[in-house]
Amino acid sequence: MSAQISFLDGTYTLIHVPLDLYNIFLQPILRVLIPQTQSLHIGQPSAEKEDLEGLSTENQHGFLNISVTPLECSIVCHTAWAKNVFEPVINSLPPGRAKDVSVFTDSYMVLSVISAGLDAASRVLELSSPLALAGIPIFFITTYYSDFVLVPTRERQNVTNALLEKGFELTETQSSFVISRKNSASHHSGSSPPGTPPPSNNDELQSRTFRLLQKRNVSPYIDNGLELVQCSGRETSQLTDVYGHRSSLSRHAPTENRDAWIENVDTKLYTSIISVLVSRPRFVSVTLTHEDPPSLLLDKNLLGMFSDSLVGDMDNILIPIFLDLVNLPSEVTGIVCGVSGRLVDDMNMTATSELSYLSTARAGVVILPELQSTRALTTLKPLLE
């Protein structure tokens, strides 16, 4: 059983949009979702256009997450898109409203994680524990295929040290790590915020986490009636077999446009995603990477908008437990590991247990099957009262 962690290219920015401003930001969200313009600088003469940053040669995002939840709209996108698409919209707002939108000052690296043989609950802990014990703040996003960890770009060397000391090994590319679970070490790296030594073990980490959450009045809750499903779009190579024909214009496209965005995506799926975002959903989280098909975590009631463009176990209902972290600074450490670790310990989770986590800009979402979510809420509430 092993895990492989790789640094994705580029730097990324995290953006918080309050729900009452969602409609204003819908157009830039869609513009980023569909990078068809070929340039971030709309209106410039063609000679001045620049290649889009953060995209593959097929014009697919290296990494993009758009999450709409009952608490906020949260976006993780390449820093160039944040600067050239979102910031002009923020600057156009009245000063009193512009301050309600947060563009995090830190730039982030994205670590892509493939964990062969690790169950879901162990996977979250295996990935978050060494970084939490090293005092490194993270954001964690579980998708249908992979896990992604956001860490501040300035912490790259500390991240490397923490993973090496945990038993991970650098590959020949110097940007990937591989670990065998049975060989993982239990000690931690010494990186931590100034004046606050890192916790010495996971028990101390959990205690610190819950003291902090209690002090900041963070109370876990379930949004009544909200049920989620985790699913995926199809591999591009499967589209002809599924639909009988490609819905794009590839048969009529000029040769020089073969790498256009629309030639390499499922337009039926993207039309459905746009429809969902326009409807201002109760919950949807869309994650795009150039290596995996689109991954969606969404309100079960939205499935009908996707017809046959999704794959996955649509009957596996998941319940989100929300932690509103608006009163905590973004550099706080240990939330993912502390909360997940306590649940795994107190609920005696087995190798078949399902536990995933979604970090948004100002919230954490623990995602569990229905029966386990009820037990988890019973476990968490007394610790935070």
Side-chain angles (χ1 to χ4, degrees), residues 221-263:
Y221 72 94
I222 288 175
D223 202 332
N224 289 335
L226 180 58
E227 299 178 333
L228 308 181
V229 292
Q230 179 83 263
C231 44
S232 166
R234 302 179 189 276
E235 294 276 1
T236 306
S237 60
Q238 299 174 336
L239 300 183
T240 301
D241 294 336
V242 173
Y243 300 139
H245 65 280
R246 289 294 302 273
S247 55
S248 71
L249 301 178
S250 57
R251 289 172 295 174
H252 309 290
T255 302
E256 62 269 20
N257 288 336
R258 289 188 191 278
D259 287 335
W261 172 86
I262 202 168
E263 309 299 340

Side-chain angles (χ1 to χ4, degrees), residues 32-267:
V32 173
L33 178 69
I34 307 174
Q36 274 285 78
T37 59
Q38 301 301 309
S39 173
L40 291 171
H41 308 288
I42 302 299
Q44 285 188 346
S46 58
E48 298 180 22
K49 290 184 179 180
E50 300 175 3
D51 290 336
L52 288 168
E53 295 183 65
L55 299 181
S56 69
T57 54
E58 293 81 23
N59 288 317
Q60 305 300 306
H61 284 282
F63 183 85
L64 174 69
N65 176 266
I66 300 166
S67 296
V68 183
T69 76
L71 290 170
E72 64 177 333
C73 173
S74 174
I75 301 131
V76 181
C77 63
H78 193 280
T79 299
W81 291 87
K83 180 179 179 180
N84 292 284
V85 176
F86 287 103
E87 288 191 7
V89 178
I90 297 170
N91 294 336
S92 70
L93 295 172
R97 296 303 344 251
K99 66 179 178 59
D100 295 331
V101 181
S102 299
V103 179
F104 284 42
T105 54
D106 273 334
S107 66
Y108 291 87
M109 303 180 300
V110 176
L111 279 67
S112 170
V113 185
I114 300 174
S115 303
L118 292 178
D119 61 89
S122 296
R123 193 171 64 241
V124 175
L125 293 179
E126 288 281 340
L127 304 176
S128 62
S129 176
L131 302 180
L133 291 174
I136 299 168
I138 71 168
F139 291 86
F140 197 100
I141 298 175
T142 301
T143 73
Y144 189 85
Y145 294 98
S146 309
D147 296 293
F148 296 92
V149 184
L150 277 68
V151 295
T153 305
R154 55 181 163 77
E155 296 278 9
R156 183 178 182 118
Q157 188 57 54
N158 292 328
V159 169
T160 299
N161 293 341
L163 294 176
L164 289 174
E165 290 196 21
K166 186 63 177 177
F168 286 74
E169 296 180 358
L170 273 172
T171 64
E172 292 181 0
T173 65
Q174 298 299 305
S175 62
S176 299
F177 300 85
V178 179
I179 186 174
S180 171
R181 264 183 90 191
K182 64 182 180 181
N183 295 327
S184 61
S186 61
H187 53 282
H188 67 276
S189 173
S191 169
S192 63
T196 306
S200 58
N201 55 53
N202 282 316
D203 288 340
E204 183 182 348
L205 172 65
Q206 290 179 22
S207 297
R208 285 193 192 185
T209 297
F210 282 93
R211 283 199 302 269
L212 176 62
L213 294 177
Q214 189 178 52
K215 181 179 180 181
R216 298 299 178 95
N217 298 313
V218 176
S219 180
Y221 72 94
I222 288 175
D223 202 332
N224 289 335
L226 180 58
E227 299 178 333
L228 308 181
V229 292
Q230 179 83 263
C231 44
S232 166
R234 302 179 189 276
E235 294 276 1
T236 306
S237 60
Q238 299 174 336
L239 300 183
T240 301
D241 294 336
V242 173
Y243 300 139
H245 65 280
R246 289 294 302 273
S247 55
S248 71
L249 301 178
S250 57
R251 289 172 295 174
H252 309 290
T255 302
E256 62 269 20
N257 288 336
R258 289 188 191 278
D259 287 335
W261 172 86
I262 202 168
E263 309 299 340
N264 297 285
V265 298
D266 181 352
T267 50

